[in-house]
């Protein structure tokens, strides 16, 4: 599972970087429109910004590709981590059946807390000392859920820009969303690394293979 953990961590880091660039692009657009309305920028400046690298990176197409790739890598890692966690702590240590390791993310309403339960149980079962504090898992899930709440609001603002104040509102929402995704991304990468390390050490101690 080490390879999938590394793949997931790298792809998540790349997606977080893309989110930062999206926020930069949104603020660039606001400042450019502000300058344009005050006579400090031209139509050529607007046209150039509409087709530059920042605009391309922040497109929905790039978002879907990176989110999809990161999601697949993370779910494969999570599935393998769940199998290993069952071997370490037994099936009774998990509140949800194995299928929920993947399915929990796609079921409406249940996806608000089932994934958290799945990951928390893997974390606790994998830890060499029990009970294991799960503050990192809680912080990650809180930031992730908040980001998922803010995201559709920010998208709505981005698609209804009719004035300078609308563009500013979108830039502010984008900055908040980026901050949440940045913290959530760092925390889940730490989570992946820690669980992978614990499970690899347990396998080595038992004479098993990674």
């Amino acid at each position: 599972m080490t390879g999938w953990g590394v793949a997931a961590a790298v792809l998540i880091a790349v997606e977080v970087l893309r989110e930062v660039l999206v926020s930069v692009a949104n603020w660039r657009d606001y400042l450019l429109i502000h300058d344009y309305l005050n006579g400090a920028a031209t139509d050529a400046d607007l046209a150039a910004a509409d087709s530059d690298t920042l605009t391309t990176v922040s497109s929905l197409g790039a978002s879907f590709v990176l989110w999809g790739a990161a999601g697949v890598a993370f779910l494969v890692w999570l599935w393998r981590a769940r199998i290993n966690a069952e071997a370490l702590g037994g099936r009774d240590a998990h509140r949800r059946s194995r299928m929920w390791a993947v399915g929990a993310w796609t079921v409406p309403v249940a996806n608000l807390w089932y994934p958290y339960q799945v990951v928390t149980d893997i974390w606790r079962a994998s830890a060499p000392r029990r009970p294991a504090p799960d503050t990192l898992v809680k912080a990650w899930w809180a930031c992730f859920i908040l980001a998922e709440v803010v995201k559709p609001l920010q998208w709505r603002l981005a698609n209804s820009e009719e004035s300078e104040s609308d563009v500013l509102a979108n830039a502010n929402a984008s900055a908040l969303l980026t901050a949440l995704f940045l913290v959530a991304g760092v925390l889940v990468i730490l989570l992946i690394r820690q669980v992978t390390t614990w499970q690899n050490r347990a396998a080595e101690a038992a004479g098993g293979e990674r």
Side-chain angles (χ1 to χ4, degrees), residues 60-181:
L60 283 178
S63 175
F64 289 144
V65 169
L66 281 175
W67 268 108
V72 169
F74 177 74
L75 289 178
V76 173
W77 173 85
L78 188 65
W79 178 260
R80 296 190 176 193
R82 170 56 189 264
I83 293 173
N84 292 341
E86 287 181 11
L88 293 171
R91 291 191 176 185
D92 291 341
H94 300 271
R95 286 167 284 184
R96 305 295 169 190
S97 64
R98 187 183 296 180
M99 62 169 284
W100 286 109
V102 175
W105 303 85
T106 61
V107 178
V109 183
N111 59 12
L112 295 176
W113 75 90
Y114 274 31
Y116 165 74
Q117 291 181 334
V118 169
V119 174
T120 301
D121 291 343
I122 291 172
W123 175 272
R124 291 172 177 171
S126 302
R129 295 183 180 179
R130 300 167 193 168
D134 56 1
T135 304
L136 186 149
V137 183
K138 290 178 179 176
W140 158 66
W141 190 247
C143 290
F144 180 78
I145 288 296
L146 285 173
E148 290 300 306
V149 171
V150 173
K151 182 166 63 175
L153 301 177
Q154 189 268 320
W155 283 5
R156 188 176 305 170
L157 289 171
N159 291 320
S160 60
E161 295 178 337
E162 297 181 355
S163 66
E164 181 181 354
S165 60
D166 291 339
V167 180
L168 177 58
N170 178 50
N172 283 322
S174 178
L176 174 59
L177 181 61
T178 296
L180 290 170
F181 273 136

